[in-house]
Amino acid sequence: MARRASFYVRYYAHMKKLRDIPHLEGVPVLVRAALNVPVAHGIVTNTFRLRSALPTIEYLREHRAKVILIGHIGDTGTETLLPVFEAMKEYIPDIRFCDAVTGTKVRQAVRELNPGDVLMLENLRRDTGEKKNDHAFALSLASIADVFVQDSFDVCHRSHASVIGIPAFLKSYAGLELELEINELAKARNPKHPALAIIGGAKFSTKEPVLHALIKKYDIVFVGGALANDFMKAKGQSVGTSLVSSTDSSTLSELTESKKIMLPKDYIVGPVGSERSTEHHGPVTAVLSNEAILDAGPVTSLELAQLVAQARIILWNGPLGNYEKGFTDATEGLARAIASSSAYSIVGGGDTIAAIEKLGLGDRISFISTGGGAMLDFLATGTLPGIEALR
Ligand code: 3PG
């Protein structure tokens, strides 16, 4: 165990960090931050990622740098970061906004910055060069600053211009949040025993690599949410009209045969588009062909609570039911159980964080990751393209 921990210390020793920047007074610093937050009706509904970006921004302000915040929101590039800018005003009242990503407007806005000022640029994905890691786009972003700080762990699994392109042109450093994520998730890759991992949500293909990694290191890997439907289907059990991935069940065989994988024992099921009044609870074998699985049932919740109470480390990513549609009981029950356990707990994923924050349990979790896919990829491989770009 000690040998593995020292591997991480050596591996990341070559990554320059925020505190290694020799001179900051009056220096324009480009900071890639996790600004991709949920927005409803023009209002940010969860500020967890924004709050996580603050320590790096505050450090740079205290050292009198000129801070230029860049980030993305949404997938397609049609969305604006304006609601994020408005939400950020709560923490940085004098923050400024420029409604462009590159060009004259941006250069002018950067010229007007005084030491300690903070400027946010528009959604990077407005420019198609971001996702393509276009050389000229990365260069034009790099040209407005003297130093680059990568603090957007959530996007470090993407080979985009603001992740792997800019470090080719600018001296680049890991921000405080990125450094924290690496240190904390390294602990989850080398768990103390008994070690319990809980992976829920959907999209089997994005979670398959982490499941393979976890069954090698954890004592129990509990699979919940829509992911569990794929396992049931692969075992020939009925899942009715439940959400399943288009996965070929042969790729699941190693996982379904693993004695470490645990699946829910019972479910809340109901007709498609079910409201709470029409659902019922039953064992996994009793899902009818016209029913969908909506949440894990009470027997499963009890069993999970017992496993949580025995574990020394708990890793959790992804809800146990259709959380967005209001089937929140099993997920929130698990959040409460983890919050009251004495285990070291590491949690990530949008709905998972939403449940924890809704219940006000954030300060009873040892570490909450800002990453969704990035957290899973880091756990699977121990690094990410955005981290490698800093080494
Ligand atoms: C996330 O929310 O997982 C990250 O911000 C990455 O966003 P993306 O999946 O749109 O690349």
Side-chain angles (χ1 to χ4, degrees):
M1 183 72 71
R3 268 172 47 210
R4 283 191 194 146
S6 68
F7 163 77
Y8 277 95
V9 172
R10 282 200 312 278
Y11 189 81
Y12 295 112
H14 298 289
M15 189 178 70
K16 295 237 178 315
K17 305 179 186 82
L18 190 68
R19 293 185 198 86
D20 299 326
I21 305 177
H23 174 70
L24 283 168
E25 168 103 39
V27 173
V29 179
L30 198 57
V31 180
R32 205 323 178 176
L35 307 180
N36 187 25
V37 292
V39 173
H41 310 294
I43 311 256
V44 170
T45 54
N46 188 307
T47 56
F48 172 69
R49 284 183 172 175
L50 306 186
R51 284 178 272 130
S52 305
L54 295 177
T56 289
I57 298 170
E58 277 157 14
Y59 177 93
L60 290 169
R61 296 193 84 182
E62 278 163 21
H63 289 77
R64 313 270 301 145
K66 299 175 181 177
V67 182
I68 307 155
L69 282 183
I70 54 171
H72 80 278
I73 186 151
D75 185 40
T76 55
T78 51
E79 286 163 60
T80 172
L81 275 173
L82 261 176
V84 179
F85 164 66
E86 291 299 330
M88 266 298 204
K89 280 186 184 163
E90 186 184 333
Y91 313 108
I92 310 169
D94 56 345
I95 188 171
R96 304 172 195 186
F97 187 74
C98 176
D99 65 355
V101 187
T102 54
T104 324
K105 261 189 183 176
V106 169
R107 283 195 296 276
Q108 179 61 27
V110 172
R111 264 198 299 276
E112 286 167 9
L113 289 176
N114 291 312
D117 284 349
V118 182
L119 169 72
M120 183 187 288
L121 304 187
E122 186 48 287
N123 182 6
L124 289 169
R125 292 188 183 175
R126 289 260 167 127
D127 194 305
T128 54
E130 165 65 357
K131 278 188 165 185
K132 285 193 255 175
N133 185 23
D134 179 71
H135 185 86
F137 179 64
L139 183 59
S140 65
L141 286 169
S143 70
I144 58 171
D146 293 348
V147 171
F148 176 60
V149 173
Q150 178 58 270
D151 210 23
S152 193
F153 173 75
D154 65 305
V155 86
C156 278
H157 59 318
R158 305 276 186 230
S159 294
H160 293 175
S162 66
V163 182
I164 60 165
I166 297 171
F169 300 111
L170 275 183
K171 282 212 160 150
S172 300
Y173 301 82
L176 296 173
E177 177 60 26
L178 177 55
E179 193 186 337
L180 185 66
E181 294 270 2
I182 291 170
N183 290 339
E184 291 297 318
L185 296 181
K187 291 178 198 163
R189 276 180 54 82
N190 298 291
K192 296 195 167 125
H193 297 272
L196 169 65
I198 302 147
I199 305 293
K203 289 196 226 144
F204 176 74
S205 58
T206 62
K207 293 178 177 166
E208 185 179 7
V210 79
L211 290 173
H212 282 286
L214 292 174
I215 57 170
K216 294 195 180 88
K217 293 180 178 173
Y218 279 66
D219 300 294
I220 295 173
V221 180
F222 182 90
V223 176
L227 216 54
N229 304 345
D230 296 324
F231 281 75
M232 284 173 67
K233 195 174 150 211
K235 287 178 170 199
Q237 289 169 342
S238 162
V239 292
T241 58
S242 308
L243 181 64
V244 283
S245 307
S246 51
T247 313
D248 170 4
S249 21
S250 61
T251 71
L252 266 160
S253 56
E254 190 194 329
L255 292 169
T256 48
E257 279 158 24
S258 167
K259 299 233 166 355
K260 290 184 174 179
I261 297 269
M262 268 186 67
L263 297 174
K265 295 273 188 311
D266 64 335
Y267 287 111
I268 303 294
V269 294
V272 181
S274 190
E275 299 300 328
R276 299 209 74 87
S277 55
T278 55
E279 75 205 30
H280 63 96
H281 132 251
V284 288
T285 45
V287 182
L288 301 178
S289 60
N290 64 343
E291 287 178 330
I293 296 168
L294 305 165
D295 203 355
V299 176
T300 303
S301 289
L302 197 64
E303 188 178 41
L304 260 180
Q306 283 162 357
L307 293 172
V308 163
Q310 290 156 13
R312 283 185 73 196
I313 187 163
I314 301 161
L315 173 70
W316 177 28
N317 182 306
L320 301 182
N322 192 346
Y323 192 85
E324 279 176 14
K325 289 273 153 59
F327 294 93
T328 58
D329 290 355
T331 302
E332 292 184 4
L334 178 59
R336 285 194 194 90
I338 294 176
S340 42
S341 91
S342 56
Y344 196 83
S345 50
I346 297 181
V347 167
D351 288 338
T352 321
I353 296 171
I356 286 166
E357 293 228 311
K358 179 181 155 202
L359 300 171
L361 300 173
D363 55 4
R364 290 166 61 189
I365 304 295
S366 312
F367 177 67
I368 304 179
S369 174
T370 54
M375 174 186 177
L376 298 172
D377 285 6
F378 183 90
L379 290 170
T381 63
T383 189
L384 296 172
I387 296 171
E388 290 304 300
L390 302 178
R391 290 183 72 229

